[in-house]
Amino acid sequence: EPEVTQTPSHQVTQMGQEVILRCVPISNHLYFYWYRQILGQKVEFLVSFYNNEISEKSEIFDDQFSVERPDGSNFTLKIRSTKLEDSAMYFCASSGGWSRPGANVLTFGAGSRLTVL
Amino acid sequence: AQSVSQHNHHVILSEAASLELGCNYSYGGTVNLFWYVQYPGQHLQLLLKYFSGDPLVKGIKGFEAEFIKSKFSFNLRKPSVQWSDTAEYFCAVTIPNTNAGKSTFGDGTTLTVKP
């Protein structure tokens, strides 16, 4: 079964450092997402990406965050200057969109745990 | 904007007990509904989904959920839980045919099944 893969699985960084989380979505999917789950809290939507641009972003997704699909296969989330409160599990997801019935089911990756010290 | 409420934050059951986890959403139009499970240390996995048709949907591992439009609910059920069902359960809603197609998640319900 096709998978969404994420790297790294765990990253520890110092406050103020830049972090890039990488995702390889399912190959024929068109919509890409990043979600965040702070320990013990719910899964929160960060951003969606379609046709090489951001479709929607949440209040959490401020200027410190950016996303990119640099090469047609990877989908990255960059945090420019990490803060302690950025410590969370970051999930990438992709979906086939609305091209056919039932295609809009999100498939999630295993997540990247970010620890900011 | 849509929102999702899961009223049970932590449920503790003994093996073989029946399970029902509540999920209510707030959105007046057509919705797609999902239940995800997150086993300890693992990623989110889709349990079941509802798009249209029969409001009683069956998912993996013996789970089912019933969509009751008049109550804006999509409760998850399992007749007899097992210790291996111990996990976090998330209800989610998506508004179909929107460009973003993002899912909004509930707070989650932690299920602990005692052997």
Side-chain angles (χ1 to χ4, degrees), chain B residues 53-91:
Chain B
D54 188 346
L56 184 63
V57 291
K58 296 192 183 297
I60 60 172
K61 305 187 183 190
F63 286 90
E64 64 179 33
E66 184 174 13
F67 170 52
I68 303 179
K69 189 174 182 179
S70 61
K71 295 185 178 180
F72 298 90
S73 70
F74 189 56
N75 292 354
L76 181 71
R77 300 195 293 246
K78 185 171 183 178
S80 176
V81 294
Q82 302 171 311
W83 175 79
S84 58
D85 293 323
T86 294
E88 186 93 13
Y89 292 82
F90 294 93
C91 181

Side-chain angles (χ1 to χ4, degrees), chain A:
Chain A
E1 189 171 329
E3 288 186 339
V4 174
T5 56
Q6 290 186 240
T7 54
S9 57
H10 189 190
Q11 181 157 356
V12 181
T13 190
Q14 295 291 324
M15 192 169 57
Q17 295 296 304
E18 177 183 282
V19 162
I20 297 177
L21 305 179
R22 291 182 168 78
C23 170
V24 179
I26 293 174
S27 61
N28 63 348
H29 280 184
L30 303 174
Y31 291 82
F32 314 108
Y33 310 84
W34 283 101
Y35 286 79
R36 180 181 80 175
Q37 186 183 27
I38 294 172
L39 186 64
Q41 299 185 25
K42 69 176 173 182
V43 179
E44 301 173 290
F45 168 78
L46 289 179
V47 66
S48 61
F49 192 86
Y50 170 71
N51 200 26
N52 283 320
E53 60 183 22
I54 291 174
S55 305
E56 186 173 346
K57 59 184 181 179
S58 71
E59 293 174 353
I60 303 167
F61 195 88
D62 61 22
D63 292 343
Q64 292 297 315
F65 292 88
S66 62
V67 289
E68 196 177 30
R69 190 158 159 79
D71 55 14
S73 63
N74 290 283
F75 179 52
T76 61
L77 174 70
K78 182 193 288 186
I79 309 175
R80 272 183 259 283
S81 177
T82 50
K83 303 187 283 284
L84 295 176
E85 53 265 38
D86 293 327
S87 294
M89 181 73 90
Y90 289 82
F91 292 102
C92 174
S94 67
S95 79
W98 311 103
S99 57
R100 55 183 174 84
N104 67 315
V105 177
L106 271 64
T107 301
F108 283 87
S112 292
R113 182 172 299 283
L114 176 64
T115 302
V116 182
L117 303 176

